[in-house]
Amino acid sequence: MKSLIEQLKIDEGFSKMPYRCTANKLTIGYGYNLEANMLNIDPKIIKSWIDFGIYEHEAEAILLRCVNDISMQLEKKLVWWLKLNKARQGALINMGFMGVKKVMGFKQMLRCLERGDWVTASAQALDSEWAKDVGERAQRVAKIIRDGK
């Protein structure tokens, strides 16, 4: 099993130059949404990335910061978060790249995760627009939710 960071690098892919993601957001590196700028990166740096691109080592540092930020947000919002094993936490972090607010909209899935109903939680993840948008990634994430590895 690939580490979460390795998997996210595959799922997000690397882009040196900005592009429009499936949600039509200006994105760079490993899926960093420049418009949301959730890490509050200096606008001058963002302007530089838009004009000249981002180095891969910068994108990896941003990816690590995003993973930590998403993890902290989920821990604050889900009191039972720490009871999940690392694999299931990683699955939710992976989903968090669409935005933690959107993950919180998966109410049935989250209720199932809280009570340990992995099969139904997995099915709920797949029964979504997100799953249609990301295809194989959703299948992989749902399998991690179901199997816990």
Side-chain angles (χ1 to χ4, degrees):
M1 174 67 188
K2 295 184 184 311
S3 76
L4 174 60
I5 297 301
E6 291 170 333
Q7 193 60 59
L8 284 166
K9 283 181 173 183
I10 293 166
D11 288 340
E12 293 293 337
F14 173 74
S15 179
K16 178 178 177 58
M17 299 305 294
Y19 65 95
R20 294 279 170 188
C21 71
T22 57
N24 201 33
K25 303 294 183 188
L26 193 60
T27 306
I28 199 165
Y30 292 108
Y32 185 70
N33 179 339
L34 293 168
E35 294 174 24
N37 192 16
M38 72 181 206
L39 299 177
N40 296 314
I41 295 170
D42 184 327
K44 290 177 187 171
I45 294 172
I46 289 179
K47 172 86 169 84
S48 171
W49 290 342
I50 290 170
D51 293 342
F52 305 109
I54 189 171
Y55 290 106
E56 197 164 353
H57 71 274
E58 291 175 300
E60 187 169 324
I62 296 298
L63 177 63
L64 293 170
R65 286 181 58 196
C66 287
V67 165
N68 288 333
D69 184 70
I70 292 167
S71 178
M72 287 189 302
Q73 287 183 57
L74 289 169
E75 187 176 339
K76 284 180 186 175
K77 294 179 182 297
L78 304 171
V79 295
W80 44 267
W81 164 260
L82 293 175
K83 293 180 183 176
L84 294 175
N85 70 13
K86 293 294 182 199
R88 289 187 176 106
Q89 286 178 357
L92 285 183
I93 291 168
N94 192 315
M95 290 180 74
F97 273 74
M98 72 173 131
V100 171
K101 185 176 181 180
K102 288 184 180 177
V103 174
M104 298 310 295
F106 283 67
K107 295 185 186 313
Q108 293 282 52
M109 179 194 76
L110 294 173
R111 279 193 282 274
C112 292
L113 280 170
E114 182 177 14
R115 68 176 183 260
D117 182 355
W118 316 126
V119 172
T120 307
S122 175
Q124 288 292 320
L126 292 172
D127 185 22
S128 67
E129 285 301 313
W130 167 78
K132 291 175 191 156
D133 287 344
V134 301
E136 187 180 314
R137 178 181 190 170
Q139 296 294 323
R140 227 176 13 261
V141 169
K143 185 177 186 326
I144 294 168
I145 289 170
R146 187 187 68 230
D147 299 344
K149 54 185 178 178

